[in-house]
Amino acid sequence: MRFGDGVVVSEPAVSTAAGKPTPALPPGFTFGVATSAHQIEGACDERGVSVWDTFARAGGIADGTTGDVACDHCHRMAEDVALLADLGVGAYRFSIAWPRVQPSRSTLNLAGCSFYDRLVDELLANDIAPLATLFHWDLPQDLQDAGGWMRRETAARFADYADAVASVLGDRVQQWITLNEPSVHTELGHMAGIHAPGVNVLPNLFPVVHHQMLAHGLAVAALRAHGNVPISIANSYGTPWPVGPDLTPGTASDADRAAALTYDAIHNRMYTDPILLGRYPDEAEYLTSGTIGDIILEGDMSTISTPIDALGVNYYNPTGVAASETEPLRYATPGIGGEWPRTAFDWPVIPDGLREMLVLLKDQYGDRLPPIWITENGCAADDQPGEDGTIRDDVRIDYLDQHLRAVAAAIDAGVDVRGYCVWSLLDNWEWAEGFSKRFGLVQVDFETQARVPKASYRWYRELISAAKRG
Ligand code: IFM
């Protein structure tokens, strides 16, 4: 098999999961992969400037790189869709770069729209369902300059953008995902300052939360005006694990257990309760110097809680939570100790945390919980080429295999999970880490842009094919 600039890959590759039975997922379950625009597209001079361009150019990235070229996907889209087709996925979750569609307030970039138009057609021609995320953190810089998510007007602008995208793609996209991980965008971008836009607005964080939620709700209405395409949001869910002095649940105190509930409210429920229950958790008051009632205007909660068709769950690992009297949010996240395998990000590999999180969501929301899609799950690994040139990423295969088993266990426990997207198709530009962390089923040589499918790609392809055979 040949992809990219002259790389020939021998098959099949050995994997530690080879020979294990396929995780028992129900007939009709969809296997997919996910990417995001800023992390793969490149072609930065063919779009407007986003907050991530500004943040990277100001030196905010560990390896000093930018997302200017990334995987050059905009110029290699057909090759990348060929990889998807060969993989056999039923769905591809990608994101649309807002500054590529609307480089400035009054303009619609027809070339940018045409790129997504061609991508969607290419996917459909290969029987791959296009799942389009509208916002994966790359806010147009002019909107940031006007106040970004601190400003209510940004939510209205997002609805305009959603309307523009739906007018081009609404007849073919098969699921809309309004926002990706608003919690992470809030916490890392507007509090820790390690993601774009790189600010700390504490103690007044609540406008950032609420205006993203309002943007979601306004976008649902804008998208529905173009037809009955299922709509969801992809939230980051960290299973709340109280941890004590040795960073394990075994030494957690009552205070640590209470802190874990606070974390669950602030990181998980803050972006789920308003949509599914029509109210914020009480802990929302921790995020404002005034009261949240000053920021929520009449009608906002009913806009935000317009029913959606699916809930996207992005899961990587549980979050260890300890009590803290000094942290602004009243809890600390010191990590999880113990003998867990670790990814190249040093994240503990705890597949059962995914089952636990899915069951927790079912317990919390009951009949209000729509069907779930795992919109992201994957691992960064230090992939090494074997002597025959194949990339033996057995660590990734084990990670994915075990997490798919956790999904199957959650379904057995009564949670309605419809699909699973591996993060990610390609090694890509991993935000503040630049090119140093590789999540792909396909290795990318960032010098030549050659794509080399890894052992995990072949393992996933075999799993999908076995599922199709029944
Ligand atoms: O790469 C990111 C993605 O953009 C959002 N979810 C987590 C991934 C891994 O860090």
Side-chain angles (χ1 to χ4, degrees):
M1 186 174 22
R2 178 186 290 269
F3 288 104
D5 299 333
V7 177
V8 179
V9 181
S10 59
E11 305 186 56
V14 177
S15 86
T16 55
K20 286 189 194 172
T22 305
L25 292 154
F29 188 85
T30 301
F31 296 93
V33 291
T35 62
S36 91
H38 196 84
Q39 292 178 273
I40 65 166
E41 281 184 357
C44 67
D45 50 0
E46 296 166 35
R47 58 161 170 76
V49 175
S50 87
V51 291
W52 273 97
D53 298 313
T54 308
F55 186 72
R57 286 168 194 159
I61 310 304
D63 62 5
T65 58
T66 68
D68 287 5
V69 177
C71 305
D72 198 29
H73 167 72
C74 272
H75 302 135
R76 293 164 193 267
M77 181 266 281
E79 180 185 356
D80 292 339
V81 175
L83 280 163
L84 291 165
D86 175 66
L87 189 54
V89 286
Y92 173 50
R93 176 183 173 224
F94 61 97
S95 84
I96 293 169
W98 189 346
R100 195 175 297 286
V101 171
Q102 291 182 327
S104 68
R105 182 182 185 122
S106 53
T107 56
L108 189 65
N109 176 18
L110 294 178
C113 295
S114 152
F115 168 72
Y116 297 112
D117 199 45
R118 285 182 287 114
L119 169 63
V120 165
D121 279 348
E122 192 80 12
L123 291 169
L124 292 173
N126 285 285
D127 286 331
I128 301 167
L131 316 182
T133 307
L134 290 172
F135 180 67
H136 199 121
W137 305 346
D138 43 359
L139 190 76
Q141 184 61 45
D142 66 338
L143 285 181
Q144 182 61 34
D145 295 341
W149 291 111
M150 290 297 285
R151 189 162 168 255
R152 192 178 168 87
E153 169 68 11
T154 301
R157 291 287 312 280
F158 184 70
D160 290 348
Y161 156 66
D163 173 64
V165 172
S167 66
V168 179
L169 306 179
D171 56 337
R172 284 157 294 148
V173 160
Q174 295 187 14
Q175 188 177 143
W176 295 113
I177 298 165
T178 55
L179 310 178
N180 179 73
E181 298 182 355
S183 60
V184 176
H185 192 51
T186 302
E187 294 160 14
L188 299 189
H190 297 81
M191 187 175 80
I194 57 172
H195 274 193
V199 296
N200 180 356
V201 299
L202 280 174
N204 205 22
L205 201 57
F206 186 69
V208 175
V209 174
H210 183 63
H211 297 148
Q212 288 180 89
M213 290 292 91
L214 185 61
H216 159 84
L218 293 171
V220 170
L223 295 169
R224 288 243 163 89
H226 289 269
N228 201 19
V229 177
I231 301 176
S232 69
I233 181 170
N235 279 332
S236 155
Y237 289 102
T239 320
W241 274 23
V243 294
D246 69 352
L247 302 185
T248 73
T251 55
S253 64
D254 286 347
D256 297 323
R257 278 184 276 280
L261 292 178
T262 305
Y263 165 82
D264 187 40
I266 288 188
H267 183 84
N268 299 328
R269 290 174 43 218
M270 192 70 69
Y271 306 86
T272 322
D273 284 15
I275 295 172
L276 301 185
L277 305 180
R279 59 172 185 269
Y280 285 100
D282 293 344
E283 289 81 353
E285 295 289 354
Y286 299 179
L287 305 182
T288 170
S289 45
T291 60
I292 63 168
D294 295 337
I295 296 153
I296 304 169
L297 301 191
E298 197 179 339
D300 284 2
M301 297 315 296
S302 67
T303 299
I304 294 169
S305 59
T306 306
I308 54 174
D309 306 286
L311 179 68
V313 169
N314 292 3
Y315 171 85
Y316 290 89
N317 49 260
T319 305
V321 189
S324 168
E325 288 176 6
T326 51
E327 289 293 325
L329 301 184
R330 310 182 193 188
Y331 62 79
T333 52
I336 289 178
E339 295 301 308
W340 305 102
R342 304 262 160 184
T343 74
F345 247 126
D346 204 29
W347 297 347
V349 178
I350 307 179
D352 193 55
L354 174 54
R355 181 204 57 77
E356 187 184 331
M357 189 70 233
L358 293 170
V359 170
L360 179 62
L361 286 167
K362 178 77 180 160
D363 289 348
Q364 287 172 331
Y365 299 105
D367 292 345
R368 293 181 188 232
L369 186 68
I372 286 178
W373 279 69
I374 308 301
T375 31
E376 281 183 30
N377 177 241
C379 94
D382 293 320
D383 304 321
Q384 297 300 330
E387 282 177 7
D388 60 357
T390 59
I391 313 282
R392 303 288 176 89
D393 57 339
D394 290 343
V395 165
R396 179 171 293 105
I397 293 171
D398 280 342
Y399 182 100
L400 299 173
D401 175 70
Q402 291 174 41
H403 284 79
L404 277 165
R405 288 172 201 285
V407 172
I411 294 172
D412 280 350
V415 186
D416 183 0
V417 187
R418 302 281 176 92
Y420 174 93
C421 293
V422 173
W423 185 267
S424 184
L425 173 66
L426 303 171
D427 290 342
N428 61 32
W429 192 71
E430 175 55 31
W431 306 115
E433 302 296 326
F435 293 113
S436 66
K437 296 287 183 281
R438 292 178 177 268
F439 278 88
L441 298 175
V442 175
Q443 190 202 47
V444 176
D445 177 329
F446 295 109
E447 297 293 317
T448 65
Q449 293 296 344
R451 273 77 163 137
V452 182
K454 303 177 191 175
S456 57
Y457 174 97
R458 281 182 280 281
W459 167 82
Y460 197 43
R461 184 175 60 182
E462 177 51 34
L463 184 145
I464 294 168
S465 160
K468 281 180 188 161
R469 289 193 303 269

